[in-house]
Amino acid sequence: MKTIGILTSGGDAPGMNAAIRAVVRTGIYYGLKVKGIMRGFAGLVEDEVIDLGLSSVGDIIQKGGTILRTARCEEFKQKEVRKKAYETLQKHGIEGLIVIGGDGSFRGAQLLSEEWNVNTICIPGTIDNDIPCTDYTIGFDTACNTVIDAINKIRDTATSHERANIIEVMGRNSGYIALYAGVAGGAEMIILPEVEWSIDELCDKITYGIKRGKLHHIIVLAEGVMSAPELAKMIKERLPKLDLRYTILGHIQRGGAPTVMDRVLASQMGARAVELLLENKTKRVISIRNNQIVDDDIDEALSMKKEFNRKLYELSKILSI
């Protein structure tokens, strides 16, 4: 193998640049040429390919987002479109492709490997932490720290006004950001897609807190359950006198300098991706499990189910009494 390519696809996540840097520098260390594909699979179809050298990835480990840009490409579901992508790889002599993204990006890599015999290695990069085969995805830790910073600031003003606040966080259909940030932020209630919840229980908890003299109430809401305005309406119908505000954090959770954990994880995964290609491996997804970097067949990885951390959720209820 002489030339490899790398792309980032789907939603951006802090740490993607650290992974790109690791791929490029590890590739060059082993004597490979490294090509960057701009704007994900869309750029692969449109032949947006650039050369990446040591200077290309200098001073990027601390930057959020992705220097390769990213885009969603619904057209990639069509076989004739994927053929154009394969032709781009052939044109540039790319023998192995590293894809950083979520499960949708992995499926694109899976199809390229099956249909055109392209050696593909996938790295999980998404703030949602919803990839079943890995304990943590690149970007998740940074997103949680961004939420924690917001909770800390909102609590200050909530305490001053003796107010309840709903904080809506991202995660698609996964509640991991809400769970981890809620526990670390000392939330009184965490509402997740994975766990049944009751509006009556929530309102009873707020009422109990007011009676015992609590000055604030922090409710962390995962976007996969409902929107913050919807939940606020439900609460106000039951507690009309409650001073209630809501904050939708939105895309600030995707940006920002990656944490130490995300930088190290991305560096390890990026380097391992290159090593797997040099071992002539294909259709592999890199993960971290039990603090070890491992890899799985992509078919197996996509068929796994994410095991929800119920113990941590139960702990959140104990600590928020």
Side-chain angles (χ1 to χ4, degrees):
M1 186 166 293
K2 296 180 180 179
T3 304
I4 62 173
I6 180 172
L7 62 82
T8 51
S9 177
D12 63 303
M16 281 184 166
N17 281 329
I20 294 167
R21 173 180 179 269
V23 167
V24 172
R25 295 199 168 188
T26 304
I28 292 172
Y29 178 84
Y30 286 114
L32 299 173
K33 291 182 180 178
V34 185
K35 303 279 187 177
I37 295 101
M38 303 297 293
R39 299 176 183 84
F41 289 113
L44 187 58
V45 173
E46 298 298 327
D47 193 11
E48 297 183 45
V49 179
I50 62 172
D51 292 320
L52 293 176
L54 293 176
S55 60
S56 306
V57 294
D59 197 30
I60 69 168
I61 193 171
Q62 79 282 9
K63 293 180 180 178
T66 164
I67 62 166
L68 295 178
R69 312 293 182 261
T70 185
R72 303 189 189 278
C73 184
E74 289 298 316
E75 297 81 6
F76 206 73
K77 294 177 181 178
Q78 304 168 26
K79 188 169 183 176
E80 59 270 24
V81 175
R82 294 195 295 273
K83 183 180 180 183
K84 289 182 180 179
Y86 172 69
E87 290 170 350
T88 299
L89 294 173
Q90 290 290 100
K91 174 183 175 181
H92 293 276
I94 298 172
E95 302 158 274
L97 180 65
I98 296 170
V99 174
I100 307 174
D103 55 358
S105 305
F106 293 0
R107 295 185 193 281
Q110 180 187 36
L111 289 169
L112 278 178
S113 182
E114 290 175 351
E115 294 172 348
W116 308 106
N117 202 31
V118 177
N119 283 19
T120 55
I121 305 295
C122 299
I123 297 175
T126 167
I127 67 168
D128 302 332
N129 200 36
D130 59 353
I131 305 299
C133 59
T134 186
D135 292 342
Y136 300 106
T137 56
I138 295 169
F140 171 66
D141 186 64
T142 305
C144 286
N145 277 277
T146 298
V147 175
I148 285 296
D149 183 58
I151 290 175
N152 291 341
K153 292 172 179 175
I154 289 170
R155 179 183 281 107
D156 288 344
T157 187
T159 302
S160 299
H161 291 269
E162 300 179 72
R163 177 180 291 161
N165 279 84
I166 301 167
I167 302 172
E168 181 187 318
V169 302
M170 296 176 76
R172 292 198 304 175
N173 297 318
S174 167
Y176 267 85
I177 294 176
L179 177 60
Y180 277 69
V183 170
E188 280 71 41
M189 190 79 174
I190 305 171
I191 303 176
L192 315 166
E194 294 88 349
V195 180
E196 290 186 8
W197 66 285
S198 164
I199 184 65
D200 292 327
E201 179 188 352
L202 171 58
C203 291
D204 287 346
K205 197 165 191 176
I206 293 172
T207 302
Y208 170 74
I210 292 172
K211 287 181 179 179
R212 74 177 182 86
K214 276 189 70 66
L215 297 178
H216 63 261
H217 295 82
I218 301 295
I219 304 158
V220 177
L221 170 68
E223 65 177 355
V225 178
M226 63 171 64
S227 70
E230 289 175 311
L231 179 58
K233 182 180 178 182
M234 293 173 68
I235 295 172
K236 289 294 285 184
E237 286 173 351
R238 289 162 176 80
L239 301 173
K241 294 183 179 180
L242 180 68
D243 191 356
L244 177 67
R245 299 288 189 276
Y246 62 81
T247 302
I248 302 171
L249 296 183
H251 284 79
I252 67 165
Q253 294 161 90
R254 284 231 190 124
T259 59
V260 169
M261 178 176 172
D262 277 330
R263 296 186 199 192
V264 172
L265 181 62
S267 298
Q268 290 175 302
M269 288 184 168
R272 183 59 184 146
V274 175
E275 291 169 357
L276 287 171
L277 287 177
L278 289 170
E279 294 167 12
N280 203 32
K281 300 286 180 64
T282 186
K283 288 178 63 181
R284 308 300 292 178
V285 176
I286 299 174
S287 304
I288 183 167
R289 290 200 297 270
N290 300 318
N291 208 32
Q292 298 294 319
I293 300 297
V294 298
D295 57 275
D296 300 285
D297 178 82
I298 194 169
D299 299 330
E300 294 178 8
L302 289 172
S303 66
M304 293 179 186
K305 288 187 177 181
K306 188 82 171 180
E307 185 176 342
F308 180 68
N309 194 336
R310 186 164 292 275
K311 284 188 176 181
L312 185 59
Y313 177 73
E314 293 301 326
L315 177 63
S316 76
K317 297 176 72 174
I318 292 171
L319 298 181
S320 63
I321 58 171

